[in-house]
Amino acid sequence: NIMPNWFSYTVGGTRTLSYGEAGDSTQISLGQVSTVGSVAISGDIASASGALDTSSSATVTQSTDKTTGVTANANSGQITTDDAALASNAQVRFTVSNSNVESTDVIAINYEVVSYSIQAIAIRNGSFDIIIRNNSGSSLSDALVLNFIRIAEE
């Protein structure tokens, strides 16, 4: 056991991490982790309240400016924004059209540039919006790389 109620087992170099009592029908499988080299997750990560479906991914680049909508019909992906200037303490909003998204989903966004705050809002069937805010004291002209994943209600 790793911790109380956590257990793992290894088959052919792949370790499976789970939570719950071994053999209990309520246990939650957290996926598989390769024990050699980089971490790799195979299959979906599921829990009692939602699932991360890693079966599809999209890569899109915004054109024109940071308010231009994009289409990313996948459960996860990467959006590169336009490098148009965003004034100090200003914010913009754009729509991501995505036929996989439902109004009960959660959209998680990851990004690297600390001068901005970024949030997914207005999640609805077929799309969600992203707000980008420049928190710095000056105008910034970055092409931001936003990684997103859809967490679906099961």
Side-chain angles (χ1 to χ4, degrees):
N1 278 350
I2 300 168
M3 290 182 271
N5 296 326
W6 286 89
F7 64 94
S8 67
Y9 56 91
T10 304
V11 176
T14 298
R15 175 171 283 186
T16 299
L17 302 175
S18 298
Y19 179 83
E21 298 298 324
D24 183 353
S25 63
T26 61
Q27 77 182 32
I28 300 168
S29 177
L30 300 178
Q32 298 176 336
V33 179
S34 172
T35 57
V36 177
S38 60
V39 174
I41 297 174
S42 61
D44 298 340
I45 301 172
S47 71
S49 61
L52 300 178
D53 182 348
T54 58
S55 64
S56 64
S57 184
T59 302
V60 296
T61 301
Q62 200 177 41
S63 61
T64 312
D65 60 39
K66 284 184 172 64
T67 63
T68 303
V70 298
T71 299
N73 289 321
N75 292 317
S76 64
Q78 193 170 75
I79 301 166
T80 303
T81 69
D82 188 77
D83 63 358
L86 186 57
S88 174
N89 298 312
Q91 71 180 29
V92 293
R93 179 175 178 164
F94 70 94
T95 298
V96 178
S97 297
N98 185 321
S99 60
N100 296 345
V101 172
E102 297 178 9
S103 62
T104 56
D105 292 346
V106 172
I107 305 297
I109 299 179
N110 177 300
Y111 56 96
E112 286 188 29
V113 183
V114 296
S115 301
Y116 298 91
S117 56
I118 299 174
Q119 180 180 14
I121 63 165
I123 300 166
R124 55 206 177 272
N125 292 340
S127 66
F128 59 93
D129 291 352
I130 294 178
I131 291 180
I132 302 171
R133 179 177 172 78
N134 176 353
N135 297 321
S136 77
S138 60
S139 178
L140 298 173
S141 298
D142 297 305
L144 303 171
V145 178
L146 312 177
N147 297 297
F148 76 91
I149 191 161
R150 171 183 169 251
I151 304 169
E153 182 178 37
E154 288 192 325

